Amino acid sequence: MKLRYLPLFFLLIVACQKPLKPIGDKEITVFKDTHLYFDMAFKNDSIQPTDSIIRLDAGRVLLKKVTLPDYQKQASVSVKMTLTSNGDPWDKSGSLFVIPTTSDLNLLDFESETLTKEQFLNEAPGIVSKKIDDKLYEPNIELLRFMTPFGVGFYNDNERVAALKPVYIPIWENNVQWEQDITQLLPVLENEVYIGVFIDTWTKEGYKLSVSLDFDEIDIPNHIKKEHDVISVVNTSKYAGAQQFYDAFHKGDLHVDLPVNETLKNAKLYYITTGHGGHAEGDEFTKKENIISFNGKVVKQFVPWRDDCASFRRFNPTSGVWTEKTTWKGEDIEERIASSDYSRSNWCPGSDVKPEIIELGTIKAGQHTFTFSIPEAQAIENDNINYWMVSAYLVYDK
């Protein structure tokens, strides 16, 4: 066949295909002005849904079953989240996640004590996949890692807060909004799924939040969607009462086995990491190298760090403010600096966290191992809380 006839040949193939039924663009509301807060009263009755929302871990985790579109044509999907303080003045870690439908066991089993920490390694209950009595447990897949600001929205008119507002901030923001393209996760965002959100709040005031998933179907006729899939690899975030903040990186590497039954093409690892420990010299405020290896070979080595936190000042009305000595026009002066201004381990109060994308190429069938290392991570010691929220999932072409 001559090359000049190829375009016509492909057009004939497309014309003979059965037309794909378009669904159209969809916006799915997961949470709408939902109040997330801590209350021990939820402990016994949390599995009973209120307004279709299940509250776990004394209210710090919200879980909801949603029905999502199943596209035949190619579509993109983005996650949008809006958050405001409902009286909690602190910055807190947060995670929006989906429970893989391939997982037989999940957070609800932790809450009902069908799953217990004794069924896992004591130091790491529920952070990696595990077969338990012929049932599979898989860790949650993160849709969005975020950090709440100090008191966004709720404290804007507070007199003490007004006195702390820098001259370069015209107004305190009423809320904080995040949006990320998560099209790579489309295979786990189809049909009925559980979507949840965790915020590490310890107050009854907590936060109000809204979350939506926006699906955008391609306009090209018969543009069949790309066939790819997702494997949950690891998630050290604390979503259940039976889980713990993961501080074991200081003891050694975290090895995660990856059994593969068929060749995975164009494999990419999406790696999300943030360090926590708000005391002096804690893992929140000190640079710690992260090292990711695959089958013993280092595939990514970097220091996760954010030094632009001062740009988020308008979201942080209740941030503590101190003075630090500096020099201005040859004179020593005391300059005000907010806690929210300080650089941190891959996050700022009010920021979301983007995944690191690691190209792995073709992965052949067989037994493989990921190794996650943070050699200088610190332990939890008394009131000095140090831990790392690390999650990763694998995306590949089918």
Side-chain angles (χ1 to χ4, degrees):
M1 183 182 293
K2 293 184 178 180
L3 188 61
R4 65 174 179 270
Y5 295 121
L6 277 175
L8 177 60
F9 175 72
F10 286 127
L11 285 173
L12 288 172
I13 291 177
V14 171
C16 293
Q17 288 179 340
K18 184 179 179 180
L20 298 176
K21 184 178 179 181
I23 296 177
D25 300 343
K26 301 286 184 182
E27 181 179 0
I28 306 299
T29 298
V30 183
F31 301 107
K32 180 65 175 177
D33 294 327
T34 303
H35 189 192
L36 183 152
Y37 59 100
F38 173 80
D39 189 343
M40 288 300 293
F42 289 125
K43 189 171 184 179
N44 295 326
D45 300 322
S46 60
I47 294 182
Q48 300 300 320
T50 302
D51 296 331
S52 73
I53 295 174
I54 302 170
R55 297 178 183 270
L56 307 175
D57 195 21
R60 304 191 316 143
V61 173
L62 305 180
L63 195 63
K64 184 178 181 181
K65 182 180 285 188
V66 296
T67 301
L68 304 177
D70 186 359
Y71 284 95
Q72 291 181 302
K73 293 176 64 180
Q74 183 62 49
S76 60
V77 57
S78 62
V79 58
K80 296 180 180 178
M81 182 171 181
T82 301
L83 178 139
T84 185
S85 170
N86 197 57
D88 192 319
W90 305 106
D91 61 330
K92 296 294 184 181
S93 56
S95 174
L96 182 72
F97 61 91
V98 61
I99 295 177
T101 57
T102 50
S103 184
D104 303 313
L105 302 167
N106 57 43
L107 286 181
L108 295 176
D109 298 293
F110 268 123
E111 195 74 16
S112 66
E113 297 185 352
T114 302
L115 269 180
T116 64
K117 63 182 181 180
E118 287 76 21
Q119 292 172 293
F120 296 87
L121 295 174
N122 288 334
E123 289 183 343
I127 71 170
V128 298
S129 296
K130 182 177 175 62
K131 270 290 188 71
I132 300 173
D133 297 330
D134 295 325
K135 291 185 177 181
L136 177 64
Y137 172 87
E138 294 179 295
N140 300 325
I141 296 174
E142 277 199 285
L143 306 178
L144 179 73
R145 175 81 58 82
F146 62 92
M147 302 293 155
T148 76
F150 289 91
V152 64
F154 188 86
Y155 291 93
N156 290 11
D157 299 324
N158 182 279
E159 290 184 6
R160 186 187 69 84
V161 165
L164 297 177
K165 186 166 73 68
V167 295
Y168 56 83
I169 300 295
I171 60 170
W172 296 117
E173 297 291 344
N174 290 322
N175 55 50
V176 61
Q177 300 178 32
W178 304 290
E179 181 176 357
Q180 283 189 23
D181 184 336
I182 53 171
T183 302
Q184 74 276 5
L185 291 174
L186 194 58
V188 295
L189 296 172
E190 299 175 338
N191 303 314
E192 276 195 344
V193 297
Y194 277 110
I195 292 179
V197 60
F198 156 77
I199 298 178
D200 187 25
T201 182
W202 295 95
T203 70
K204 285 192 175 183
E205 293 78 20
Y207 299 86
K208 286 192 175 181
L209 57 92
S210 296
V211 174
S212 67
L213 296 175
D214 288 2
F215 296 85
D216 185 8
E217 187 178 52
I218 196 166
D219 293 329
I220 302 173
N222 281 6
H223 191 300
I224 192 168
K225 69 180 179 183
K226 179 182 178 181
E227 289 296 323
H228 69 284
D229 214 342
V230 179
I231 298 173
S232 179
V233 175
V234 65
N235 194 332
T236 69
S237 300
K238 183 185 183 303
Y239 298 110
Q243 293 182 303
Q244 304 164 6
F245 290 119
Y246 191 79
D247 73 330
F249 282 115
H250 81 283
K251 293 183 178 179
D253 301 338
L254 174 59
H255 302 283
V256 182
D257 293 330
L258 180 74
V260 174
N261 297 323
E262 59 183 359
T263 298
L264 312 182
K265 298 179 181 179
N266 299 320
K268 299 177 183 178
L269 185 75
Y270 285 73
Y271 178 80
I272 307 171
T273 180
T274 51
H276 304 271
H279 57 94
E281 302 302 320
D283 278 11
E284 177 177 330
F285 294 116
T286 52
K287 295 181 178 181
K288 308 289 183 183
E289 188 174 49
N290 283 223
I291 305 170
I292 303 99
S293 301
F294 185 59
N295 294 333
K297 179 182 177 182
V298 173
V299 292
K300 183 73 175 182
Q301 189 170 356
F302 73 112
V303 175
W305 194 249
R306 290 287 294 261
D307 57 10
D308 61 338
C309 293
S311 65
F312 292 86
R313 185 70 180 99
R314 66 191 187 279
F315 300 105
N316 290 279
T318 58
S319 176
V321 175
W322 297 272
T323 60
E324 290 192 1
K325 291 183 178 180
T326 187
T327 301
W328 172 251
K329 294 184 177 180
E331 295 183 6
D332 292 337
I333 64 169
E334 295 281 342
E335 185 171 23
R336 294 196 306 173
I337 185 170
S339 173
S340 59
D341 295 344
Y342 286 109
S343 300
R344 287 172 167 85
S345 290
N346 212 34
W347 62 276
C348 299
S351 77
D352 59 352
V353 182
K354 299 292 194 301
E356 295 286 330
I357 304 173
I358 304 166
E359 302 273 356
L360 297 175
T362 298
I363 299 176
K364 295 182 179 180
Q367 189 69 29
H368 303 273
T369 302
F370 282 105
T371 302
F372 302 98
S373 308
I374 308 176
E376 296 182 359
Q378 302 177 76
I380 295 175
E381 294 182 359
N382 301 319
D383 293 334
N384 290 340
I385 306 299
N386 295 287
Y387 62 94
W388 282 81
M389 292 172 63
V390 168
S391 75
Y393 55 86
L394 194 68
V395 177
Y396 65 94
D397 293 345
K398 295 178 70 173

